[in-house]
């Protein structure tokens, strides 16, 4: 029986970060609630039909492609320090 889509995503992400999927992620694991067994990163995977941040990234990519640049989307919340950086996994090594 093939993996459910979300399990396949967790495996793909774990492989990308040179680790393994945590088969019992969430409350059932006695090791970590992370979706992976990475020693330093707490990885949470979410697969949805659509993410608004990804839609924004798609629009940014179209503009970046016209200028032959790497698209990077930065998200911030008012009255909160710092920001989040959204970069496609294929582009991460370019930064």
């Amino acid at each position: 029986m093939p993996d459910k889509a979300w399990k396949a995503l967790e495996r793909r992400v774990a492989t990308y970060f040179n680790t393994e999927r945590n088969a019992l992620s969430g409350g059932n694991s006695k090791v970590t609630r992370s979706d992976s067994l990475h020693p330093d990163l707490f990885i949470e995977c979410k697969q949805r039909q659509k993410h608004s941040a990804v839609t924004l990234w798609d629009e940014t990519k179209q503009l970046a492609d016209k200028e032959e640049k790497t698209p990077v989307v930065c998200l911030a919340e008012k009255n909160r320090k710092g920001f989040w950086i959204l970069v496609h996994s294929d582009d991460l090594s370019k930064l």
Side-chain angles (χ1 to χ4, degrees):
M1 174 182 261
D3 269 346
K4 294 184 184 269
W6 59 271
K7 286 183 184 180
L9 170 65
E10 289 178 359
R11 278 198 178 77
R12 230 175 33 248
V13 170
T15 299
Y16 181 87
F17 287 104
N18 297 313
T19 188
E20 294 179 27
R21 175 182 172 265
N22 181 7
L24 294 172
S25 61
N28 294 324
S29 175
K30 295 193 178 5
V31 178
T32 179
R33 294 178 71 108
S34 173
D35 289 337
S36 82
L37 297 175
H38 195 283
D40 301 313
L41 300 176
F42 188 102
I43 298 173
E44 180 69 23
C45 299
K46 291 293 179 201
Q47 183 165 348
R48 302 264 162 73
Q49 196 69 21
K50 210 143 180 72
H51 290 281
S52 59
V54 175
T55 300
L56 175 59
W57 185 89
D58 288 338
E59 294 166 1
T60 303
K61 180 168 177 20
Q62 287 181 347
L63 297 171
D65 285 350
K66 289 177 184 175
E67 297 185 25
E68 298 180 4
K69 293 183 178 181
T70 301
V72 177
V73 173
C74 297
L75 305 172
E77 290 184 350
K78 194 172 184 176
N79 299 318
R80 191 165 178 176
K81 292 182 180 181
F83 54 91
W84 291 263
I85 302 169
L86 178 64
V87 178
H88 192 277
S89 57
D90 290 346
D91 295 330
L92 195 55
S93 63
K94 297 176 188 175
L95 304 180

